[in-house]
């Protein structure tokens, strides 16, 4: 058993239960005992950092109804083409596939008529601070700079704005209860070395097939790649499927030494993403996934849509942890 309990990172809030990155999802994540609450950050046309996962608005809002003539020629509506005032007129909804209109997770929040406004990074950090005070606990923040190269191609530079906003809320150093994460390794180095950010940094590791950034993720997972990451970051965020798989009975097995290798370089390992309604291929159930990650691999934390289930699993393994 690890001496320090691993941390529960509420992926886009308690996103299994309320629309992702809505204020309600963040309040619920805090109430369900998340150690960290995640913010994906993109910029508006007027350079306001907002908490929203996609560059496009289609899958997550009613933009097609509100602004039918504001799509780009590719058929998508981009948040960066709208001011914050315009974006405030939209409501976040459960994720759909814009092409088919089908819900991505059919069992999740299905209500209509309840507005869930888009939230700025500034507002969310203020909310977490207020919740921490009234609840007497210290949930951290876990902020991601989304697609910095794409933003720059649009004439915008999100990282300095995100760093300044975090600093204004007291998150500036490694000792503060915050992580800053990015899929783009060139950008994360820049954040540390050129922009002088002293926060705990996490290098997200995707799959090259995703074309998420120009980063070569196959190289980052090697011993040389992990050593290089340790030169500018404090942790990695790989897909959980790069760490555990499942045997014919659905029981967890290690599929690589990535977790131990990274920890050997002093890096924390925070894989993504646990979803009880979309388990990795072959997994018997939620416990098998949690057991594989926390019991076999001994990861240091987990991005989870179901922060209550991950919280319960960790607390069962670490019963002496004091809960507020
Ligand atoms: Ca994210």
């Amino acid at each position: 058993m690890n001496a320090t309990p691993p941390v529960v990172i509420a992926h886009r809030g308690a996103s299994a239960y309320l629309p992702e990155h809505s204020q309600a999802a963040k309040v619920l994540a805090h109430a369900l005992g998340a150690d960290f609450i995640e913010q994906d950050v993109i910029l508006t046309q007027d350079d306001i950092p907002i908490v929203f996962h996609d560059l496009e608005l289609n899958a997550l809002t009613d933009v097609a109804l509100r602004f039918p003539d504001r799509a780009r020629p590719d058929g998508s509506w981009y948040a960066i083409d709208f001011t914050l005032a315009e974006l405030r007129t939209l409501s976040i909804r459960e994720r759909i596939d814009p092409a088919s209109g089908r819900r991505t997770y059919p069992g999740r929040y299905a209500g209509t008529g309840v507005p869930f406004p888009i939230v700025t990074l500034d507002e969310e950090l203020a909310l977490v601070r207020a919740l921490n005070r009234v609840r007497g606990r210290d949930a951290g923040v876990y902020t991601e700079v989304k697609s910095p190269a794409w933003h720059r191609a649009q004439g915008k530079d999100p990282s300095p704005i995100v760093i300044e906003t975090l600093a204004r809320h007291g998150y500036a150093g490694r000792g503060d209860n915050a992580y800053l994460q990015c899929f783009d390794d060139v950008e994360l180095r820049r954040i540390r070395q050129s922009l002088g950010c002293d926060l705990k940094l996490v290098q997200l590791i995707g799959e090259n097939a995703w074309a998420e950034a120009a980063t070569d993720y196959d190289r980052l997972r090697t011993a040389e790649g992990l050593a290089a990451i340790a030169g500018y970051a404090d942790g990695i965020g790989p897909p959980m499927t790069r760490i555990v798989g499942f045997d014919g009975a659905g029981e967890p097995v290690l599929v690589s030494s990535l977790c131990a290798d990274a920890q050997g370089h002093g890096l924390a390992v925070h894989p993504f993403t646990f979803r009880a309604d979309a388990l990795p291929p072959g997994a018997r159930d939620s416990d098998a996934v949690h057991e594989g990650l926390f019991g076999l691999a001994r990861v240091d934390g987990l991005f989870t849509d179901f922060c209550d289930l991950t919280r319960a699993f960790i607390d069962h393994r670490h019963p002496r942890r004091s809960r507020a």
Side-chain angles (χ1 to χ4, degrees), residues 154-317:
Q154 308 289 316
K156 298 203 181 290
D157 188 7
S159 293
I161 296 173
V162 169
I163 292 167
E164 183 277 326
T165 305
L166 287 165
R168 200 155 25 78
H169 286 267
Y171 301 113
R174 280 186 178 79
D176 297 323
N177 202 14
Y179 283 93
L180 187 59
Q181 44 167 339
C182 193
F183 274 105
D184 184 326
D185 66 334
V186 174
E187 185 73 4
L188 206 59
R189 282 176 193 273
R190 174 186 176 233
I191 285 170
R192 178 68 87 213
Q193 294 164 359
S194 302
L195 300 178
C197 176
D198 192 40
L199 288 167
K200 293 188 284 285
L201 301 183
V202 165
Q203 175 68 58
L204 297 171
I205 298 179
E207 300 289 348
N208 287 349
W210 299 347
E212 172 77 34
T215 305
D216 180 355
Y217 298 115
D218 291 339
R219 183 185 60 79
L220 288 188
R221 287 193 308 271
T222 65
E224 295 73 22
L226 293 169
I229 292 170
Y232 61 88
D234 305 276
I236 61 167
M240 61 167 70
T241 48
R242 287 286 178 183
I243 295 175
V244 292
F246 300 88
D247 66 17
E251 298 296 335
V253 291
L254 286 180
V255 297
S256 76
S257 59
L258 176 61
C259 182
D261 294 348
Q263 289 167 337
H265 285 282
L267 294 164
V269 179
H270 297 165
F272 57 88
T273 301
F274 173 73
R275 297 183 173 100
D277 55 355
L279 294 174
R284 187 194 69 224
D285 56 16
S286 293
D287 276 352
V289 180
H290 283 137
E291 182 58 36
L293 291 168
F294 296 121
L296 278 182
R298 299 183 173 234
V299 302
D300 302 286
L302 178 61
F303 288 91
T304 171
D305 285 6
F306 292 77
C307 50
D308 54 337
L309 300 185
T310 305
R311 170 87 281 148
F313 188 91
I314 291 172
D315 287 352
H316 184 69
R317 288 179 61 88

